[in-house]
Amino acid sequence: MKITSKTSLYGLIGYPVKHSLSPIMHNYFFKNSGVDSVYLCFEIPPQGFKKVIESLPFLGIKGLNVTIPYKEEIIKYLDYIDKEAEVIGAVNT
């Protein structure tokens, strides 16, 4: 996989996430579909969560999956939430 300035960045945020198989699955799809993208895990400790989330708009990340413990806390930072997620009180993408 060749990463360039044109490569789109996607990822997973949570704590912990080192065990996640998501990068294997997503990067396999990107490679075999000819999509110029990469998927990474971002392990964010609770004390850094707010700073990281507030920085995301400036990083050019195209999309994120969200896992424990942030599925609920992330909601207050979102521009939009659909009705189903609002009822559930948690999101994962």
Side-chain angles (χ1 to χ4, degrees):
M1 172 186 322
K2 183 177 180 182
I3 299 173
T4 71
S5 61
K6 295 179 183 179
T7 302
S8 295
L9 177 59
Y10 295 86
L12 170 68
I13 59 172
Y15 189 78
V17 292
K18 290 178 184 173
H19 64 282
S20 176
L21 300 177
S22 291
I24 294 168
M25 178 180 64
H26 291 285
N27 288 320
Y28 176 86
F29 168 79
F30 291 149
K31 179 181 177 185
N32 290 294
S33 299
V35 176
D36 186 13
S37 296
V38 64
Y39 187 98
L40 302 172
C41 286
F42 300 99
E43 190 162 282
I44 304 169
Q47 65 271 22
F49 179 76
K50 183 179 182 200
K51 285 184 181 182
V52 170
I53 297 307
E54 290 174 344
S55 299
L56 289 175
F58 306 101
L59 296 176
I61 295 173
K62 300 293 183 182
L64 291 170
N65 293 104
V66 183
T67 193
I68 295 173
Y70 304 127
K71 289 177 177 263
E72 297 169 352
E73 188 174 350
I74 192 78
I75 290 175
K76 63 185 168 190
Y77 298 97
L78 300 178
D79 295 329
Y80 169 81
I81 180 171
D82 65 28
K83 295 290 182 194
E84 291 85 1
E86 189 173 9
V87 169
I88 293 168
V91 298
N92 66 359
T93 54

